[in-house]
Amino acid sequence: MKKKYLTGYKLFFGLIGLIAIVTEIATLADRNTFNAGNFFSYFTIESNIIAVIVFLISSFYVYAGKKSVWLDYFRGATTFYMVVTGIVFATLLAGIENATLTAVPLDNTILHYIIPIAIAIDWLMDPPIRRFSFRQALAWIIFPVLYLIYSLFRGSFVNWYPYPFLDPAHGGYTQVAITSLIITAGGLVLIYVISRISKKAR
């Protein structure tokens, strides 16, 4: 019975996330404002795409009764990315008009709140089959760091930044560096917490 509900849970939220992303693309395209380069440069979109893939693959594994250490490792990484997405949005971006970040208000709720919470619950309901040490989980920080470098590099050429706190026009590069260091420090704490939870693996 648990397998049935767990499969349904993963499949449901994987599809909800996919629908939200597709709806965003369709709405922006209908308004003739879709810019693929900018759209896929949002950490929210990138992390949600990863979450959708992980949810759907994980649902298949649970349904088939299969287990995978590598899938669990990527589930942990995805949990980290999505929780960061939710926390950063709630603390740094919640005051921004929704239309600035998402074309459809409901998508904003799904991508910034529902999926982050859903994947965190999934990590608790379906713990990894093997524990991961903090040292092993540290590699999860690589993607956000590369994202930061990419965003600053691309932004300097196209004069567009996905988020205000990455835009040097708002306080200069010093402010960007300070905010990035704070987020990174918080991310390391979050990685530690997620890895500790994995130590309770069944």
Side-chain angles (χ1 to χ4, degrees), residues 95-119:
I96 298 177
E97 184 181 357
N98 288 344
T100 303
L101 299 175
T102 49
V104 181
L106 179 59
D107 291 341
N108 179 71
T109 301
I110 292 173
L111 300 176
H112 290 117
Y113 293 109
I114 294 178
I115 300 301
I117 292 173
I119 205 158

PDB file of all heavy atoms in Angstrom, residues 95-119:
ATOM      1  N   GLY A  95       8.776  39.907  -2.302  1.00  0.00           N
ATOM      2  CA  GLY A  95       8.202  41.232  -2.445  1.00  0.00           C
ATOM      3  C   GLY A  95       8.117  41.715  -3.875  1.00  0.00           C
ATOM      4  O   GLY A  95       7.494  42.739  -4.164  1.00  0.00           O
ATOM      5  N   ILE A  96       8.752  40.957  -4.792  1.00  0.00           N
ATOM      6  CA  ILE A  96       8.727  41.347  -6.199  1.00  0.00           C
ATOM      7  C   ILE A  96       7.401  40.932  -6.819  1.00  0.00           C
ATOM      8  O   ILE A  96       6.860  39.873  -6.507  1.00  0.00           O
ATOM      9  CB  ILE A  96       9.886  40.668  -6.963  1.00  0.00           C
ATOM     10  CG1 ILE A  96      11.219  41.132  -6.386  1.00  0.00           C
ATOM     11  CG2 ILE A  96       9.821  40.982  -8.455  1.00  0.00           C
ATOM     12  CD1 ILE A  96      12.408  40.452  -7.023  1.00  0.00           C
ATOM     13  N   GLU A  97       6.888  41.752  -7.694  1.00  0.00           N
ATOM     14  CA  GLU A  97       5.634  41.430  -8.377  1.00  0.00           C
ATOM     15  C   GLU A  97       5.764  40.081  -9.074  1.00  0.00           C
ATOM     16  O   GLU A  97       6.737  39.816  -9.779  1.00  0.00           O
ATOM     17  CB  GLU A  97       5.306  42.507  -9.419  1.00  0.00           C
ATOM     18  CG  GLU A  97       3.961  42.303 -10.106  1.00  0.00           C
ATOM     19  CD  GLU A  97       3.686  43.381 -11.145  1.00  0.00           C
ATOM     20  OE1 GLU A  97       4.520  44.291 -11.278  1.00  0.00           O
ATOM     21  OE2 GLU A  97       2.656  43.289 -11.810  1.00  0.00           O
ATOM     22  N   ASN A  98       4.785  39.213  -8.858  1.00  0.00           N
ATOM     23  CA  ASN A  98       4.842  37.856  -9.403  1.00  0.00           C
ATOM     24  C   ASN A  98       5.078  37.829 -10.903  1.00  0.00           C
ATOM     25  O   ASN A  98       5.786  36.966 -11.426  1.00  0.00           O
ATOM     26  CB  ASN A  98       3.542  37.100  -9.082  1.00  0.00           C
ATOM     27  CG  ASN A  98       3.459  36.728  -7.614  1.00  0.00           C
ATOM     28  OD1 ASN A  98       4.453  36.754  -6.904  1.00  0.00           O
ATOM     29  ND2 ASN A  98       2.269  36.383  -7.164  1.00  0.00           N
ATOM     30  N   ALA A  99       4.498  38.776 -11.618  1.00  0.00           N
ATOM     31  CA  ALA A  99       4.600  38.795 -13.075  1.00  0.00           C
ATOM     32  C   ALA A  99       6.039  38.973 -13.541  1.00  0.00           C
ATOM     33  O   ALA A  99       6.382  38.640 -14.674  1.00  0.00           O
ATOM     34  CB  ALA A  99       3.737  39.907 -13.646  1.00  0.00           C
ATOM     35  N   THR A 100       6.890  39.494 -12.658  1.00  0.00           N
ATOM     36  CA  THR A 100       8.293  39.684 -13.016  1.00  0.00           C
ATOM     37  C   THR A 100       9.015  38.353 -13.133  1.00  0.00           C
ATOM     38  O   THR A 100       9.926  38.187 -13.941  1.00  0.00           O
ATOM     39  CB  THR A 100       9.003  40.559 -11.946  1.00  0.00           C
ATOM     40  OG1 THR A 100       8.312  41.803 -11.836  1.00  0.00           O
ATOM     41  CG2 THR A 100      10.449  40.821 -12.331  1.00  0.00           C
ATOM     42  N   LEU A 101       8.599  37.389 -12.315  1.00  0.00           N
ATOM     43  CA  LEU A 101       9.280  36.096 -12.282  1.00  0.00           C
ATOM     44  C   LEU A 101       8.482  34.981 -12.950  1.00  0.00           C
ATOM     45  O   LEU A 101       9.065  34.028 -13.455  1.00  0.00           O
ATOM     46  CB  LEU A 101       9.576  35.718 -10.829  1.00  0.00           C
ATOM     47  CG  LEU A 101      10.480  36.691 -10.059  1.00  0.00           C
ATOM     48  CD1 LEU A 101      10.593  36.262  -8.595  1.00  0.00           C
ATOM     49  CD2 LEU A 101      11.864  36.757 -10.692  1.00  0.00           C
ATOM     50  N   THR A 102       7.169  35.084 -12.929  1.00  0.00           N
ATOM     51  CA  THR A 102       6.330  34.060 -13.569  1.00  0.00           C
ATOM     52  C   THR A 102       5.180  34.729 -14.318  1.00  0.00           C
ATOM     53  O   THR A 102       4.677  35.768 -13.903  1.00  0.00           O
ATOM     54  CB  THR A 102       5.740  33.092 -12.525  1.00  0.00           C
ATOM     55  OG1 THR A 102       5.144  33.831 -11.461  1.00  0.00           O
ATOM     56  CG2 THR A 102       6.816  32.178 -11.960  1.00  0.00           C
ATOM     57  N   ALA A 103       4.773  34.107 -15.413  1.00  0.00           N
ATOM     58  CA  ALA A 103       3.703  34.668 -16.233  1.00  0.00           C
ATOM     59  C   ALA A 103       2.328  34.357 -15.670  1.00  0.00           C
ATOM     60  O   ALA A 103       1.370  35.087 -15.887  1.00  0.00           O
ATOM     61  CB  ALA A 103       3.819  34.131 -17.660  1.00  0.00           C
ATOM     62  N   VAL A 104       2.212  33.250 -14.944  1.00  0.00           N
ATOM     63  CA  VAL A 104       0.940  32.809 -14.381  1.00  0.00           C
ATOM     64  C   VAL A 104       1.062  32.738 -12.855  1.00  0.00           C
ATOM     65  O   VAL A 104       1.933  32.043 -12.342  1.00  0.00           O
ATOM     66  CB  VAL A 104       0.543  31.419 -14.927  1.00  0.00           C
ATOM     67  CG1 VAL A 104      -0.799  30.982 -14.357  1.00  0.00           C
ATOM     68  CG2 VAL A 104       0.517  31.429 -16.453  1.00  0.00           C
ATOM     69  N   PRO A 105       0.229  33.466 -12.108  1.00  0.00           N
ATOM     70  CA  PRO A 105       0.312  33.484 -10.645  1.00  0.00           C
ATOM     71  C   PRO A 105       0.329  32.098  -9.998  1.00  0.00           C
ATOM     72  O   PRO A 105       1.089  31.855  -9.063  1.00  0.00           O
ATOM     73  CB  PRO A 105      -0.933  34.280 -10.231  1.00  0.00           C
ATOM     74  CG  PRO A 105      -1.170  35.202 -11.384  1.00  0.00           C
ATOM     75  CD  PRO A 105      -0.820  34.377 -12.608  1.00  0.00           C
ATOM     76  N   LEU A 106      -0.500  31.185 -10.494  1.00  0.00           N
ATOM     77  CA  LEU A 106      -0.543  29.843  -9.914  1.00  0.00           C
ATOM     78  C   LEU A 106       0.792  29.134 -10.096  1.00  0.00           C
ATOM     79  O   LEU A 106       1.246  28.397  -9.206  1.00  0.00           O
ATOM     80  CB  LEU A 106      -1.666  29.023 -10.552  1.00  0.00           C
ATOM     81  CG  LEU A 106      -1.806  27.574 -10.049  1.00  0.00           C
ATOM     82  CD1 LEU A 106      -2.051  27.556  -8.543  1.00  0.00           C
ATOM     83  CD2 LEU A 106      -2.941  26.864 -10.785  1.00  0.00           C
ATOM     84  N   ASP A 107       1.435  29.358 -11.235  1.00  0.00           N
ATOM     85  CA  ASP A 107       2.739  28.746 -11.480  1.00  0.00           C
ATOM     86  C   ASP A 107       3.766  29.238 -10.466  1.00  0.00           C
ATOM     87  O   ASP A 107       4.666  28.496 -10.050  1.00  0.00           O
ATOM     88  CB  ASP A 107       3.225  29.054 -12.897  1.00  0.00           C
ATOM     89  CG  ASP A 107       2.393  28.356 -13.961  1.00  0.00           C
ATOM     90  OD1 ASP A 107       1.695  27.382 -13.620  1.00  0.00           O
ATOM     91  OD2 ASP A 107       2.427  28.784 -15.127  1.00  0.00           O
ATOM     92  N   ASN A 108       3.638  30.503 -10.086  1.00  0.00           N
ATOM     93  CA  ASN A 108       4.541  31.062  -9.089  1.00  0.00           C
ATOM     94  C   ASN A 108       4.444  30.278  -7.787  1.00  0.00           C
ATOM     95  O   ASN A 108       5.454  29.917  -7.174  1.00  0.00           O
ATOM     96  CB  ASN A 108       4.190  32.538  -8.840  1.00  0.00           C
ATOM     97  CG  ASN A 108       5.074  33.176  -7.796  1.00  0.00           C
ATOM     98  OD1 ASN A 108       6.245  33.422  -8.016  1.00  0.00           O
ATOM     99  ND2 ASN A 108       4.514  33.444  -6.624  1.00  0.00           N
ATOM    100  N   THR A 109       3.221  29.986  -7.377  1.00  0.00           N
ATOM    101  CA  THR A 109       2.987  29.221  -6.149  1.00  0.00           C
ATOM    102  C   THR A 109       3.519  27.801  -6.274  1.00  0.00           C
ATOM    103  O   THR A 109       4.161  27.273  -5.354  1.00  0.00           O
ATOM    104  CB  THR A 109       1.484  29.182  -5.823  1.00  0.00           C
ATOM    105  OG1 THR A 109       0.996  30.523  -5.669  1.00  0.00           O
ATOM    106  CG2 THR A 109       1.225  28.409  -4.541  1.00  0.00           C
ATOM    107  N   ILE A 110       3.275  27.188  -7.428  1.00  0.00           N
ATOM    108  CA  ILE A 110       3.715  25.805  -7.639  1.00  0.00           C
ATOM    109  C   ILE A 110       5.238  25.696  -7.651  1.00  0.00           C
ATOM    110  O   ILE A 110       5.819  24.854  -6.948  1.00  0.00           O
ATOM    111  CB  ILE A 110       3.147  25.256  -8.960  1.00  0.00           C
ATOM    112  CG1 ILE A 110       1.632  25.098  -8.861  1.00  0.00           C
ATOM    113  CG2 ILE A 110       3.801  23.912  -9.319  1.00  0.00           C
ATOM    114  CD1 ILE A 110       0.961  24.727 -10.174  1.00  0.00           C
ATOM    115  N   LEU A 111       5.892  26.546  -8.426  1.00  0.00           N
ATOM    116  CA  LEU A 111       7.335  26.434  -8.622  1.00  0.00           C
ATOM    117  C   LEU A 111       8.162  26.922  -7.442  1.00  0.00           C
ATOM    118  O   LEU A 111       9.262  26.415  -7.204  1.00  0.00           O
ATOM    119  CB  LEU A 111       7.745  27.206  -9.881  1.00  0.00           C
ATOM    120  CG  LEU A 111       7.095  26.744 -11.191  1.00  0.00           C
ATOM    121  CD1 LEU A 111       7.518  27.651 -12.346  1.00  0.00           C
ATOM    122  CD2 LEU A 111       7.480  25.293 -11.499  1.00  0.00           C
ATOM    123  N   HIS A 112       7.633  27.901  -6.698  1.00  0.00           N
ATOM    124  CA  HIS A 112       8.408  28.464  -5.593  1.00  0.00           C
ATOM    125  C   HIS A 112       8.018  27.932  -4.214  1.00  0.00           C
ATOM    126  O   HIS A 112       8.792  28.081  -3.259  1.00  0.00           O
ATOM    127  CB  HIS A 112       8.275  29.987  -5.589  1.00  0.00           C
ATOM    128  CG  HIS A 112       8.981  30.659  -6.725  1.00  0.00           C
ATOM    129  ND1 HIS A 112       8.317  31.383  -7.691  1.00  0.00           N
ATOM    130  CD2 HIS A 112      10.294  30.694  -7.053  1.00  0.00           C
ATOM    131  CE1 HIS A 112       9.194  31.850  -8.563  1.00  0.00           C
ATOM    132  NE2 HIS A 112      10.388  31.451  -8.207  1.00  0.00           N
ATOM    133  N   TYR A 113       6.845  27.346  -4.112  1.00  0.00           N
ATOM    134  CA  TYR A 113       6.396  26.875  -2.802  1.00  0.00           C
ATOM    135  C   TYR A 113       6.034  25.387  -2.781  1.00  0.00           C
ATOM    136  O   TYR A 113       6.576  24.618  -1.986  1.00  0.00           O
ATOM    137  CB  TYR A 113       5.182  27.690  -2.335  1.00  0.00           C
ATOM    138  CG  TYR A 113       5.494  29.137  -2.032  1.00  0.00           C
ATOM    139  CD1 TYR A 113       5.043  30.155  -2.873  1.00  0.00           C
ATOM    140  CD2 TYR A 113       6.228  29.496  -0.905  1.00  0.00           C
ATOM    141  CE1 TYR A 113       5.322  31.488  -2.597  1.00  0.00           C
ATOM    142  CE2 TYR A 113       6.510  30.825  -0.621  1.00  0.00           C
ATOM    143  CZ  TYR A 113       6.058  31.821  -1.469  1.00  0.00           C
ATOM    144  OH  TYR A 113       6.347  33.133  -1.205  1.00  0.00           O
ATOM    145  N   ILE A 114       5.099  25.009  -3.658  1.00  0.00           N
ATOM    146  CA  ILE A 114       4.565  23.647  -3.600  1.00  0.00           C
ATOM    147  C   ILE A 114       5.610  22.586  -3.906  1.00  0.00           C
ATOM    148  O   ILE A 114       5.776  21.614  -3.146  1.00  0.00           O
ATOM    149  CB  ILE A 114       3.357  23.504  -4.552  1.00  0.00           C
ATOM    150  CG1 ILE A 114       2.204  24.368  -4.055  1.00  0.00           C
ATOM    151  CG2 ILE A 114       2.919  22.038  -4.650  1.00  0.00           C
ATOM    152  CD1 ILE A 114       0.977  24.349  -4.937  1.00  0.00           C
ATOM    153  N   ILE A 115       6.341  22.734  -5.015  1.00  0.00           N
ATOM    154  CA  ILE A 115       7.332  21.715  -5.380  1.00  0.00           C
ATOM    155  C   ILE A 115       8.483  21.648  -4.365  1.00  0.00           C
ATOM    156  O   ILE A 115       8.898  20.538  -3.985  1.00  0.00           O
ATOM    157  CB  ILE A 115       7.870  21.939  -6.810  1.00  0.00           C
ATOM    158  CG1 ILE A 115       6.716  21.878  -7.820  1.00  0.00           C
ATOM    159  CG2 ILE A 115       8.920  20.883  -7.162  1.00  0.00           C
ATOM    160  CD1 ILE A 115       5.968  20.545  -7.816  1.00  0.00           C
ATOM    161  N   PRO A 116       9.013  22.780  -3.883  1.00  0.00           N
ATOM    162  CA  PRO A 116      10.041  22.695  -2.841  1.00  0.00           C
ATOM    163  C   PRO A 116       9.578  21.942  -1.590  1.00  0.00           C
ATOM    164  O   PRO A 116      10.307  21.113  -1.042  1.00  0.00           O
ATOM    165  CB  PRO A 116      10.348  24.166  -2.525  1.00  0.00           C
ATOM    166  CG  PRO A 116      10.081  24.872  -3.806  1.00  0.00           C
ATOM    167  CD  PRO A 116       8.855  24.183  -4.353  1.00  0.00           C
ATOM    168  N   ILE A 117       8.349  22.235  -1.153  1.00  0.00           N
ATOM    169  CA  ILE A 117       7.819  21.553   0.029  1.00  0.00           C
ATOM    170  C   ILE A 117       7.581  20.076  -0.272  1.00  0.00           C
ATOM    171  O   ILE A 117       7.903  19.195   0.534  1.00  0.00           O
ATOM    172  CB  ILE A 117       6.504  22.220   0.490  1.00  0.00           C
ATOM    173  CG1 ILE A 117       6.796  23.624   1.029  1.00  0.00           C
ATOM    174  CG2 ILE A 117       5.811  21.370   1.564  1.00  0.00           C
ATOM    175  CD1 ILE A 117       5.557  24.428   1.350  1.00  0.00           C
ATOM    176  N   ALA A 118       7.030  19.804  -1.461  1.00  0.00           N
ATOM    177  CA  ALA A 118       6.709  18.417  -1.843  1.00  0.00           C
ATOM    178  C   ALA A 118       7.955  17.552  -1.908  1.00  0.00           C
ATOM    179  O   ALA A 118       7.955  16.399  -1.464  1.00  0.00           O
ATOM    180  CB  ALA A 118       5.987  18.400  -3.188  1.00  0.00           C
ATOM    181  N   ILE A 119       9.049  18.101  -2.438  1.00  0.00           N
ATOM    182  CA  ILE A 119      10.252  17.278  -2.588  1.00  0.00           C
ATOM    183  C   ILE A 119      10.961  17.093  -1.252  1.00  0.00           C
ATOM    184  O   ILE A 119      11.612  16.066  -1.015  1.00  0.00           O
ATOM    185  CB  ILE A 119      11.199  17.881  -3.650  1.00  0.00           C
ATOM    186  CG1 ILE A 119      12.070  16.768  -4.233  1.00  0.00           C
ATOM    187  CG2 ILE A 119      12.062  19.003  -3.087  1.00  0.00           C
ATOM    188  CD1 ILE A 119      12.642  17.086  -5.588  1.00  0.00           C
TER     189      ILE A 119
END
